[in-house]
Amino acid sequence: METFLSKLFTEVEVLMEQTPIHDLHNPDLLQLIPITSRKLIEIGCSSGALAREFKKIAPSVNYFGVEIDANYAERASRFCDDVLVSNIEYVDSSFWKLQADRDCWIFGDTLEHLQNPWGILRQIHKIIPVGGAVVACIPNAQHWSLQVRLSIGDFRYVNDGLMDRTHLRWFTRQTIIEMFIEAGFVVEMGFPRIFDEPQRENFLPVIAEMAKLAGADPEAAVEDSLPLQYVIRAIKK
């Protein structure tokens, strides 16, 4: 059964185009990368934009990218010291041995594309040096717009954004924290990415009322519906 499912997911990945590439970087994710990092690895390095920006800050670092799309990997090689074209979920044991000295692992809107992000984080925790960090940006499944879409049955996939058709997993603030803690990490820092979305004001009172009826904190429910994404840094103690 496991072999069949792995084959099935592989075939699905081939059929689905990856999230459209661009040369923009995530400044909030960049901010969370420890400046003391010396050997970094980014899973899903796309165009290499984040590597480009971090190397401006720390030119001597070794920045290794892993990218599932060969065309994207070729573009990332402009800024990464090396790029491996591979799916992190299908690498063999030699990969983990070779990357055991990486002191910072980066997932910029990547974990939600994995079949088993929990297992990948546990594997990283096994090999990463003490004091090493994982920094990640993860979409928020509790975002007000998704709650509105669900309320009217409009759960349709698109090419990018919260409803990216290549997303396999969905997380909220609570479950993001749980995922890292269960993998053995200590969440050191994190914050929401909230953007100007004037139309949301019409829906926030409804979200508050739903939370109240469910016996939850309406203020917390509204607050957690605002971020489009969360950025987080977790470390191995």
Side-chain angles (χ1 to χ4, degrees):
M1 177 63 73
E2 183 174 342
T3 302
F4 169 76
L5 289 176
S6 297
K7 183 175 183 293
L8 177 62
F9 274 112
T10 302
E11 291 173 348
V12 169
E13 287 165 0
V14 170
L15 291 171
M16 289 193 301
E17 293 184 1
Q18 297 303 305
T19 304
I21 194 170
H22 56 75
D23 286 314
L24 301 176
H25 75 285
N26 182 334
D28 297 319
L29 190 60
L30 178 66
Q31 178 183 332
L32 288 188
I33 300 175
I35 192 63
T36 56
S37 300
R38 289 295 171 261
K39 297 193 72 175
L40 302 89
I41 179 169
E42 182 179 1
I43 308 302
C45 58
S46 189
S47 69
L50 193 62
R52 178 193 67 210
E53 296 303 313
F54 190 72
K55 277 183 167 283
K56 291 178 182 178
I57 301 169
S60 63
V61 302
N62 180 272
Y63 202 112
F64 181 55
V66 177
E67 174 55 50
I68 196 171
D69 188 297
N71 293 324
Y72 292 10
E74 184 177 354
R75 290 181 61 173
S77 65
R78 299 171 297 168
F79 308 111
C80 296
D81 294 287
D82 196 11
V83 181
L84 172 68
V85 179
S86 185
N87 183 327
I88 186 67
E89 297 196 275
Y90 300 139
V91 296
D92 58 26
S93 58
S94 64
F95 170 87
W96 297 106
K97 291 178 181 177
L98 287 171
Q99 308 310 326
D101 60 346
R102 298 282 168 185
D103 55 1
C104 182
W105 290 67
I106 303 166
F107 292 87
D109 294 283
T110 307
L111 287 168
E112 66 276 9
H113 295 265
L114 304 181
Q115 298 173 44
N116 187 6
W118 307 273
I120 292 296
L121 288 177
R122 286 194 296 269
Q123 181 62 38
I124 292 171
H125 187 269
K126 290 178 182 178
I127 66 166
I128 195 170
V130 173
V134 176
V135 297
C137 181
I138 303 173
N140 177 27
Q142 198 176 344
H143 189 258
W144 67 270
S145 67
L146 286 187
Q147 296 191 52
V148 172
R149 284 172 177 262
L150 281 170
S151 72
I152 59 174
D154 182 17
F155 200 80
R156 293 181 173 88
Y157 293 99
V158 293
N159 288 332
D160 55 17
L162 289 173
M163 293 300 297
D164 187 320
R165 66 180 77 256
T166 61
H167 286 181
L168 299 180
R169 303 299 180 185
W170 304 84
F171 298 96
T172 65
R173 177 185 59 81
Q174 297 177 53
T175 60
I176 290 170
I177 293 171
E178 288 171 3
M179 175 170 61
F180 280 91
I181 291 175
E182 289 171 3
F185 290 97
V186 174
V187 177
E188 184 180 55
M189 184 182 298
F191 54 88
R193 301 190 80 211
I194 300 174
F195 298 91
D196 184 24
E197 300 166 324
Q199 64 271 38
R200 70 183 170 220
E201 301 304 322
N202 295 325
F203 300 101
L204 299 185
V206 179
I207 291 172
E209 185 62 22
M210 284 195 301
K212 184 178 179 181
L213 291 172
D217 182 344
E219 292 186 8
V222 169
E223 184 176 344
D224 284 347
S225 74
L226 302 180
L228 185 71
Q229 302 151 306
Y230 290 98
V231 288
I232 189 169
R233 182 167 76 205
I235 61 172
K236 179 178 178 177
K237 288 286 192 179

